[in-house]
Amino acid sequence: MTLTVTPQPSSPLTVESRNSGPKQPVGLAEKFSRVRQATQALCAGLSAEDCMVQSMPDASPVKWHLAHTTWFFETFILAPHLAEYRSIDPEYRNLFNSYYNAVGDRPLRDKRGVFSRPSLDDVYAFRRYVDDAMLKLLEGDVSAELSDLVVLGLQHEQQHQELIVTDMKHGLWSNSLRPPFCESPSKAPNGNVPRLKWHRYPAGNFEIGHQGQGFSFDNETPRHTTYLQDFQLASRLITNVEYMQFILDDGYRRPDLWLSEGWETVRTPGWEAPLYWERRGENWWDYTCAGMRVVSLNEPVCHVSYFEADAFARWAEARLATEAEWEVAAAQAPVEGNFLENGTFHPVATSDKDAGEGPVQIFGDVWEWTQSAYSPYPGFKPAAGALGEYNGKFMCNQYVLRGGSCATSQSHMRASYRNFFPAHARWQFSGIRLAKD
Amino acid sequence: MTLTVTPQPSSPLTVESRNSGPKQPVGLAEKFSRVRQATQALCAGLSAEDCMVQSMPDASPVKWHLAHTTWFFETFILAPHLAEYRSIDPEYRNLFNSYYNAVGDRPLRDKRGVFSRPSLDDVYAFRRYVDDAMLKLLEGDVSAELSDLVVLGLQHEQQHQELIVTDMKHGLWSNSLRPPFCESPSKAPNGNVPRLKWHRYPAGNFEIGHQGQGFSFDNETPRHTTYLQDFQLASRLITNVEYMQFILDDGYRRPDLWLSEGWETVRTPGWEAPLYWERRGENWWDYTCAGMRVVSLNEPVCHVSYFEADAFARWAEARLATEAEWEVAAAQAPVEGNFLENGTFHPVATSDKDAGEGPVQIFGDVWEWTQSAYSPYPGFKPAAGALGEYNGKFMCNQYVLRGGSCATSQSHMRASYRNFFPAHARWQFSGIRLAKD
Amino acid sequence: MTLTVTPQPSSPLTVESRNSGPKQPVGLAEKFSRVRQATQALCAGLSAEDCMVQSMPDASPVKWHLAHTTWFFETFILAPHLAEYRSIDPEYRNLFNSYYNAVGDRPLRDKRGVFSRPSLDDVYAFRRYVDDAMLKLLEGDVSAELSDLVVLGLQHEQQHQELIVTDMKHGLWSNSLRPPFCESPSKAPNGNVPRLKWHRYPAGNFEIGHQGQGFSFDNETPRHTTYLQDFQLASRLITNVEYMQFILDDGYRRPDLWLSEGWETVRTPGWEAPLYWERRGENWWDYTCAGMRVVSLNEPVCHVSYFEADAFARWAEARLATEAEWEVAAAQAPVEGNFLENGTFHPVATSDKDAGEGPVQIFGDVWEWTQSAYSPYPGFKPAAGALGEYNGKFMCNQYVLRGGSCATSQSHMRASYRNFFPAHARWQFSGIRLAKD
Amino acid sequence: MTLTVTPQPSSPLTVESRNSGPKQPVGLAEKFSRVRQATQALCAGLSAEDCMVQSMPDASPVKWHLAHTTWFFETFILAPHLAEYRSIDPEYRNLFNSYYNAVGDRPLRDKRGVFSRPSLDDVYAFRRYVDDAMLKLLEGDVSAELSDLVVLGLQHEQQHQELIVTDMKHGLWSNSLRPPFCESPSKAPNGNVPRLKWHRYPAGNFEIGHQGQGFSFDNETPRHTTYLQDFQLASRLITNVEYMQFILDDGYRRPDLWLSEGWETVRTPGWEAPLYWERRGENWWDYTCAGMRVVSLNEPVCHVSYFEADAFARWAEARLATEAEWEVAAAQAPVEGNFLENGTFHPVATSDKDAGEGPVQIFGDVWEWTQSAYSPYPGFKPAAGALGEYNGKFMCNQYVLRGGSCATSQSHMRASYRNFFPAHARWQFSGIRLAKD
């Protein structure tokens, strides 16, 4: 984790809430409090029992997310930087470690669901205890190094905010009662999705990677030159109705459309639609954070794996974009869209009135699978110590997704952001944008 | 499930509490309330989060036990016998089915831990709702058939009381904090465990199986003749210190002591002691319902599999008893011992002063593995309908255990009772009594 | 392995060929040669490549059987009893060990198919080398102990003769070309299978187990008393056409007919008929040692698991016999039937003209599943040393089969013989005889 | 499979044997015969039994390779292009299909070892039959399309020549006798391996991919521009003694050196050295095609996975090259080195006298893992029809290796050649060359 924050009075860090009006510099303590409170606001409607659910090894209980994000501040900031700090419970050090070998042992990932103790109340007490210590630490002079660590901790917490939504969605769906995660219905789709068009980009050398202003993760650096051939990018995301055509055309039954490993993945569990889709009579229904409903035709298709995105693209005689192509196209776009702050927790349909010069729906709604395997950028150097385990060690057999989703904080997103998941993963809000040569 | 209850005024059913003083006939409604309350009393110290834990596929969450036992009364008694009965939630019918194919679908057994909804409060409300309906049903004339079903439901609930203890013990132990299930320490062991002696039984034809008075499960019937050779039975259970000698003598490293499948079972996960034992420096510690403590030498060894019991017996140049031998020896013994009602949730050491004519520790403390595969008795007939799935369909690749444990209700036990588990199971309170030719 | 051979001039050992005319005492050396040659005669039509095939972990390559039976004589007889004996290759000691932990390491069972070296020719040379040494050993005075060991080695070899047939049948069937194992077609079924009748046996104490004359395995001893209730035994085996009725009546789709573990076993691989059956249009075909053909209606059903035999019996409102019942009924029957010596390698239909006083098809044709779990007889003692691993350590989670099959040597069979396989095994010639209370 | 052969009189195809002296145009029929014979020459020392071995699902029996390469000519050339052609056995069509879904069904990959029939003799007869038909076809006018297909078939056969060596090596090693694959000892290492130096390459735009002369696979096209940062490439391969330092420095026990998935891979089977290494007392031994011997210190390390190559590089404070870097560096190097034609089947040590201007050991000896995930080149288009399944569908979760090995035909190699295997694969001759920024 190489922090590349360049503190500048006029370049506020990116953790402000969305509609903060005329920009006022916000202090670090205030930023800290806002992000921490936002996490708890997400969980306000969940019971202690809900927060225990671990419905598959890839997902974690919400209680674990609440504790682990707190552990991060304790382990990497309070323990080394606040002399008088004493842990509320020394056992938490191992209990809430995720994957940092340098920090010590930890429970098996797929056993996080057995932790009834500490209770949710105890975890909230742990949060308050750490928050109090953090605010005390931030009262005084804050070194650049410390400030960078705090910002990293907040970015880390925002990542777990997204996982709280996706893991809890999966957990509640795993219950045959299919209870909703939230009451807010997703926005009604409007009438017209514009026809899919192609935006052309000429070949040449381009710079990609983080610019050096504001925060970024180490995997976005160093900024570097890459050569791109001519390419075209679709003007919008693929919709549910377009994806249904793929299904109707036997998309899930034709091996010629699939990567070999994708074909195995599809056949073994018998996939025949995106995750959360369910056929009831004539209709496809899907499970949303607001419960079961008929699939909305104009919304972006969501909860597809890399394998499905790739097969769809082949069927459509197109391909997925590389991450460099995507970043070049996204560089001009404002970081606006349907983000976590909207509270819909679901992608929404675009319409003619949203159309601009370039592609729309670049940010928010759904993460866009790229065809790029997750690899180090030329010259990439992970940080020394435990924080070096944050990103680099996962650069194998995963694929890059770009743009953020309806479960991502707007203040967390930027054009150079690299998310990554294995090719079979479907429980994130992941969708499809096509590209062509 | 062939019910063989023969109602007799002088032969009260077996669900009274232990110290009921001079026997007074207790009405069925009163029995019902006592058993149902006893279940909830067991869970009084558990949080809603504790009641969610499923730490392995063989164990179920306490909340599930609370709901499933209630479902049993609703499905097999209220629905068919109380005309105006309406379910509190029709979804519960499938949600809390355990394994009755004739009743319909059900969630996968290893996914019972994902059910945050209904909440524990909802499950308690379900219990109250069903209890009210049951008491209403029991107010009027109760037919013999109905009475038999109610008694069966209570026996079923008592089985789940035991599972609540063993599953929750496993669940809390799976938490690296090793929190206790209860505050009550197990009784301090007294000084002297009597030397192990052998009681001799001459050959001949014997009757085993349920006598026809009071309740029994269908698998205890019909009572039938069997021929036994001369045999000897150990005067008491094997103790921890005796088991330690087996360990010290490389008992877990000598294939000649083990059944072939047992040897595979031991080697794969690397067992080297009973479940819940943990080496800390020079000492063995074990996890009890009251938390971690040094292994108490004189207590009966507990949480061993059939494979371990069999290997220990071979090492000791003895064998396990058959279930018929055990039952013949137990026929004279009073059904007394260290049962659930004691609240220790742990086996206790015997002492000279407990010694009598025959073997001691026959009932309570730990289930005693027999060498008998679980098979139908000659002439066995399971009941028609869904309740026929109660016992018979499990008569394959399991072994019979006898005598009940510290987690079994005294009122649930009798000499003819046949418990059964697979040869590798260790999370029940299961121990060892030796036999010889 | 307790040998109970009582050498008696008038009681020849049981390894003679079937039609040996007026009984002449046959010397041990001659017996040895006959059995060893019979093994090789079985393999005469197989190529070196055929003898390499291992189509599943439970089956072994024929080459391995040829070598392992030879290893048995080398390890347990030549090495300890022939002073000047030197192994042809010391590596064979571990290479061809099956499961004797006391002898040392061995290759993994499921990797026996990778052994291209030693070649089949080398293995035949190994056989000749050991045969020569054995014959030399048998030239002189042969102690009773040595004679017992030789007989045991021959009985062991006959067991592997049966496995050569069943393992090679499975191996060739695993090849999509379905090549035959032998040219000889199975006998054409004759017209009339007699109606199934019931033979009644009154209750009482009976002796079962080996009598003490001739050879037996240790697991058949000691002979002992057992009490049996009244029972009835079917007059013949269940036929293919009777089994088809079970299939047509949705036998494979009704969970109420199955043991719980059987139901899981059926559903996972999707069994819907005996092993080797294949639906082609309107007909069931099956793979026999002579290749694919239409299922012959009157032949005994074969290649069914314990689970299927048990489910069929339940469907037929009957049950399987216990092994004690079977042995009592078989005690009077002559050891005659369709054995390996016939060379059909397939069960044949019975007919009216075969009918006698008691049940027919008791011996030969197919092994008959009993409902008895494989357990030690009262007073059972395995031999000291490595040979004690022969039988006793497998007495767990297996079921007893009785009577021998069309792949068993007639001279290998007797009423007290206990074969055993896990409940899911189907690749032996295993079938169904019903019993009733 | 887009064939990009541009027939030019002066640009002979690449299948000539190595020492062909002054280049004479070699006719296609002659090329065909040479490659086909070379395959059989490789197998000359193998018995029919050896050719049956399948020691793991990733490896195939040699007999299968011999048949499948022949099937390729029959299916893609003779069937569509030789009117009178009749298959020697129509069953072979499915039997020897590898993974072409468009061709039809096929046996499971991990069951290729059960095919004793057809025999090795039959497979050789199949080869002769197809060879005769091919030579007849090549007698007349050969269209450019047909010529391209034949060349593809020969390249395909050369790939399987390499697999014959690596699969048979693994198969023989799986036999605890560790028999050799060939008699020829690998060359004795000479005294001095030159010190590892770094060659520098300046940043800029480069062209990579196949040039358009001679044969290439579709995955090497289209040739395209890519931008490279400054980089350095090691002058030679990493040697065994260098790798031993990594082992001694606890390389296999420090999670900080490993990718997360690599660490899991190492720990589960307990890897602690390259495949085929075995500790005997003080020394490491390894299994070579000539049998077991002490590890030769100066030879290139071999049989390491991507995970091990990556961990070694991290330990050495370097990294693996990208495939583009490798190709730019290799573009000037002659395609010379230790190839299959040498008959050593083992990498050999380099020495000072081999040193030239640029890096040595670029071609031959061992495949060099690159850090590049196997992905389509910009503008990549797989061929229509079944041959389109050759490469493209495997572009997921695999890594690119470059340069060929001691088991690769020299005439098969070129700078643009892209081999690919999953990150855990070790049974190929795969080694390590370092790079740096």
Side-chain angles (χ1 to χ4, degrees), chain C residues 199 355-360:
Chain C
H199 294 274
E357 289 292 295
V360 297

Side-chain angles (χ1 to χ4, degrees), chain A residues 45-46 48-50 52-55 63 91 95 107 111 114-120 171-172 174-177 179-180, chain B residues 45-46 48-50 52-55 63 91 95 111 114-120 171-172 174-177 179-180:
Chain A
L46 301 174
E49 291 163 87
D50 292 334
M52 284 278 294
V53 174
Q54 180 173 37
S55 51
K63 183 163 75 177
E91 301 264 16
L95 206 55
K111 291 294 180 202
V114 307
F115 289 84
S116 60
R117 324 271 179 96
S119 69
L120 183 60
L172 291 170
S174 297
N175 186 328
S176 51
L177 303 176
Chain B
L46 301 175
E49 290 163 87
D50 292 334
M52 284 277 294
V53 174
Q54 181 174 36
S55 52
K63 184 164 73 178
E91 301 263 16
L95 206 55
K111 291 295 181 200
V114 306
F115 289 84
S116 60
R117 323 273 177 97
S119 69
L120 183 60
L172 291 170
S174 297
N175 186 327
S176 52
L177 303 176

Side-chain angles (χ1 to χ4, degrees), chain D residues 91-106:
Chain D
E91 301 263 16
Y92 291 3
R93 177 107 173 165
N94 288 338
L95 207 54
F96 298 125
N97 184 3
S98 53
Y99 54 66
Y100 296 87
N101 291 305
V103 173
D105 284 341
R106 57 188 179 272

Side-chain angles (χ1 to χ4, degrees), chain A residues 296-425:
Chain A
S296 182
L297 300 180
N298 289 340
E299 287 172 6
V301 68
C302 190
H303 296 300
V304 293
S305 64
Y306 175 79
F307 293 129
E308 289 160 303
D310 170 82
F312 179 89
R314 192 166 292 111
W315 171 79
E317 297 179 351
R319 60 173 175 83
L320 302 178
T322 65
E323 63 168 325
E325 290 169 343
W326 189 95
E327 185 168 334
V328 165
Q332 284 79 36
V335 183
E336 292 177 353
N338 175 26
F339 284 110
L340 182 69
E341 288 81 353
N342 275 10
T344 63
F345 307 131
H346 204 73
V348 295
T350 185
S351 73
D352 285 329
K353 68 181 189 301
D354 299 328
E357 290 292 295
V360 298
Q361 299 177 306
I362 285 286
F363 291 105
D365 283 319
V366 295
W367 287 100
E368 303 177 21
W369 283 108
T370 73
Q371 69 164 234
S372 299
Y374 180 47
S375 301
Y377 279 170
F380 168 70
K381 289 274 176 283
L387 285 173
E389 299 184 50
Y390 201 109
N391 279 305
K393 75 178 182 184
F394 301 109
M395 290 178 173
C396 180
N397 295 343
Q398 310 222 35
Y399 283 84
V400 173
L401 303 101
R402 293 295 194 111
S405 81
C406 55
T408 315
S409 250
Q410 184 177 21
S411 63
H412 186 64
M413 196 37 49
R414 58 202 161 264
S416 62
Y417 195 103
R418 307 173 81 197
N419 198 358
F420 51 90
F421 279 95
H424 63 267

